[in-house]
Amino acid sequence: MAIGLAASEILWEMGLLRRLGTVGKPLSRFARLPETCAVAVITSLISPTAANTMLQSLRENKILTDRQTYLASLLNGAIVPVKEVFTYQLPVVLPALGAQVGLVYIGTLWLGALVLFLFVIVCGRLMLSRSDNGHAAVQPAPPGPMSLRRVLSRCVKRFGRIATIFLSVTLCVFVLMDLGILARLERLLSPAFAWLDLSPIVLPSIATYVISPLVGTSMLGTLVRNDLVDPREAIVALLFGSVFMLPLLYMRFYLPQWVAIFGLRLGVLRALTSATLIMATRLVVLVFFLW
């Protein structure tokens, strides 16, 4: 987060945001987002957290409105699978789950990203006007030479607020975990596996998947390779488990992070939108395999 703040402030002080924004002209035209959002999109291929922090910095500098920040953050989330193809999906997920199960799971991840992308385009064309786009794209750089003192002052002030909120929200989540409330939610979901006629042998894999997707997918892949479960059953178990465990993942990690960066209202809206669209996508795929 600190790196993202520093990078955005330096780019703003040097007046480079407008130059870098020209790279994303085609993308900004689709969703009517300002060209400056392309900087964050490029950054999201390296660090989504840094990209969202840059968007918040642009928002606080009055370059982006709340709506533009909200849609641009969702766009960052839609771009993340491009990076994960080479860092997680092909080298980790595919060997762990095998070709059949792995390709279906990776395809589901990409389908969720596509839904997010289409949501940004549709909402951008409905919620944003061309005049908003043009106004944000031509924001002038601050007058005078670059000031490191000004950059440092803004970074320290904003990061201090972000870190305080992030630690506070994360502490609350850990308290809920320590009290066993989140564990109770997970136990309430366990009977649903019996309704889906899934073998109890998949339960440890799905429970582990909630804590560590890498370990959980590896365990499930081992069951498939040893013919303890068939590929269809593994796909249904993985999708069903991820649909109901995603809220726990968002509560533990993404919600505290986005609330810390964007504030309570925009952070919660960002989390609800992303979680709802992704869970709906996985439910559709799940119903397809159950049918």
Side-chain angles (χ1 to χ4, degrees), residues 168-178 182 251-253 256:
S168 300
V169 177
T170 304
L171 177 62
C172 293
V173 174
F174 282 148
V175 170
L176 292 176
M177 293 174 62
D178 194 57
L182 296 185
M251 185 182 299
R252 292 173 180 174
F253 180 72

Side-chain angles (χ1 to χ4, degrees), residues 103-285:
L103 288 176
V104 172
Y105 183 65
I106 292 174
T108 304
L109 297 178
W110 273 88
L111 182 59
L114 177 61
V115 170
L116 276 178
F117 182 71
L118 294 176
F119 179 85
V120 172
I121 292 178
V122 173
C123 289
R125 302 190 72 84
L126 293 176
M127 297 166 57
L128 304 177
S129 64
R130 296 184 184 277
S131 59
D132 291 335
N133 189 335
H135 174 71
V138 297
Q139 280 283 343
M146 174 180 171
S147 171
L148 290 178
R149 178 179 295 180
R150 205 159 46 221
V151 170
L152 183 61
S153 174
R154 287 201 298 260
C155 284
V156 170
K157 180 181 178 181
R158 292 173 182 173
F159 184 74
R161 188 197 70 239
I162 289 174
T164 301
I165 298 175
F166 183 81
L167 290 175
S168 300
V169 177
T170 304
L171 177 62
C172 293
V173 174
F174 282 148
V175 170
L176 292 176
M177 293 174 62
D178 194 57
L179 292 175
I181 295 177
L182 296 185
R184 293 174 191 172
L185 292 177
E186 295 176 14
R187 286 196 297 268
L188 289 175
L189 297 176
S190 297
F193 285 91
W195 174 73
L196 289 173
D197 195 26
L198 291 175
S199 172
I201 198 173
V202 303
L203 287 176
S205 301
I206 300 304
T208 306
Y209 173 84
V210 178
I211 303 173
S212 172
L214 174 59
V215 179
T217 52
S218 298
M219 290 175 62
L220 197 58
T222 301
L223 296 178
V224 174
R225 286 190 295 272
N226 287 279
D227 295 324
L228 297 175
V229 297
D230 60 74
R232 178 187 171 278
E233 188 177 13
I235 292 171
V236 170
L238 193 59
L239 290 176
F240 182 80
S242 65
V243 164
F244 287 94
M245 302 311 175
L246 270 174
L248 301 178
L249 176 64
Y250 272 72
M251 185 182 299
R252 292 173 180 174
F253 180 72
Y254 293 117
L255 183 60
Q257 181 186 113
W258 291 335
V259 168
I261 294 175
F262 298 118
L264 181 61
R265 182 180 60 86
L266 194 59
V268 171
L269 180 61
R270 166 71 175 87
L272 287 176
T273 304
S274 180
T276 301
L277 291 176
I278 292 177
M279 285 193 295
T281 302
R282 297 191 183 188
L283 276 174
V284 169
V285 178

Side-chain angles (χ1 to χ4, degrees), residues 33-90:
L33 287 170
E35 297 169 9
T36 48
C37 293
V39 182
V41 172
I42 295 172
T43 306
S44 67
L45 295 176
I46 303 173
S47 171
T49 303
N52 286 325
T53 308
M54 292 179 67
L55 289 177
Q56 177 61 14
S57 182
L58 294 172
R59 178 191 179 198
E60 294 186 9
N61 281 321
K62 308 300 182 183
I63 300 176
L64 298 180
T65 64
D66 288 355
R67 289 183 177 181
Q68 290 167 341
T69 305
Y70 163 69
L71 292 176
S73 178
L74 289 174
L75 183 59
N76 288 344
I79 298 299
V80 169
V82 176
K83 165 194 171 185
E84 292 183 343
V85 166
F86 305 102
T87 61
Y88 178 66
Q89 295 173 5
L90 292 182

